[in-house]
């Protein structure tokens, strides 16, 4: 049962991430901004889920499934490599900001009661 719940959450999270990335692409923002926003928001929600969800099924659906697929390290890494081709400094700033902001967001989300 838990595997099915994680799979459904993961499918919904991946589709939501795709929709957000497509929306950002239509607004002519740089390609890496969408991934940065998705990872920051997802980290904040993951922090909240860590202490708000009592049910293991709800945690499996939201945290492991939906947010696990919504946030994405591989796309972040891919975007950093693409950005490195044009500006190593921008790529470094992107990587550092993503790490610091995502970590800060998960801590902030966890502390909100």
């Amino acid at each position: 049962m838990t595997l099915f719940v994680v799979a459904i959450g993961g499918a919904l999270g991946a589709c939501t991430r795709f929709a957000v990335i497509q929306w950002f692409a239509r607004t002519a923002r740089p390609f890496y901004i969408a991934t940065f926003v998705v990872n920051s928001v997802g980290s904040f929600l993951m922090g909240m889920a860590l202490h708000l969800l009592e049910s293991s099924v709800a945690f499996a659906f939201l945290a492991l499934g939906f947010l696990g697929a919504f946030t994405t390290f591989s796309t972040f890494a891919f975007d950093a490599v693409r950005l490195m081709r044009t500006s190593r400094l921008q790529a470094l700033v992107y990587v550092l900001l993503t790490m610091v902001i995502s970590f800060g967001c998960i801590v902030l989300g966890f502390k909100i009661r």
Side-chain angles (χ1 to χ4, degrees):
M1 172 67 172
T2 303
L3 182 61
F4 180 71
V5 169
V6 171
I8 296 300
L12 293 172
C15 289
T16 303
R17 174 172 34 94
F18 179 77
V20 170
I21 288 172
Q22 292 302 305
W23 181 79
F24 269 86
R26 285 192 305 275
T27 61
R29 290 184 173 88
F31 64 90
Y32 53 88
I33 297 296
T35 305
F36 178 79
V37 169
V38 161
N39 285 336
S40 299
V41 169
S43 293
F44 176 76
L45 294 173
M46 181 71 80
M48 291 181 72
L50 286 172
H51 73 81
L52 291 178
L53 296 178
E54 298 293 326
S55 163
S56 62
V57 173
F59 185 80
F61 173 80
L62 183 64
L64 301 178
F66 184 85
L67 293 172
F70 181 65
T71 58
T72 173
F73 188 81
S74 58
T75 303
F76 157 68
F78 179 71
D79 286 352
V81 169
R82 283 178 60 195
L83 192 54
M84 194 180 307
R85 289 180 179 171
T86 58
S87 171
R88 289 180 187 254
L89 180 60
Q90 271 188 310
L92 178 64
V93 169
Y94 173 65
V95 168
L96 292 175
L97 276 178
T98 298
M99 295 299 212
V100 169
I101 298 297
S102 292
F103 183 76
C105 283
I106 201 166
V107 169
L108 180 64
F110 185 76
K111 291 192 177 274
I112 289 181
R113 303 276 170 175

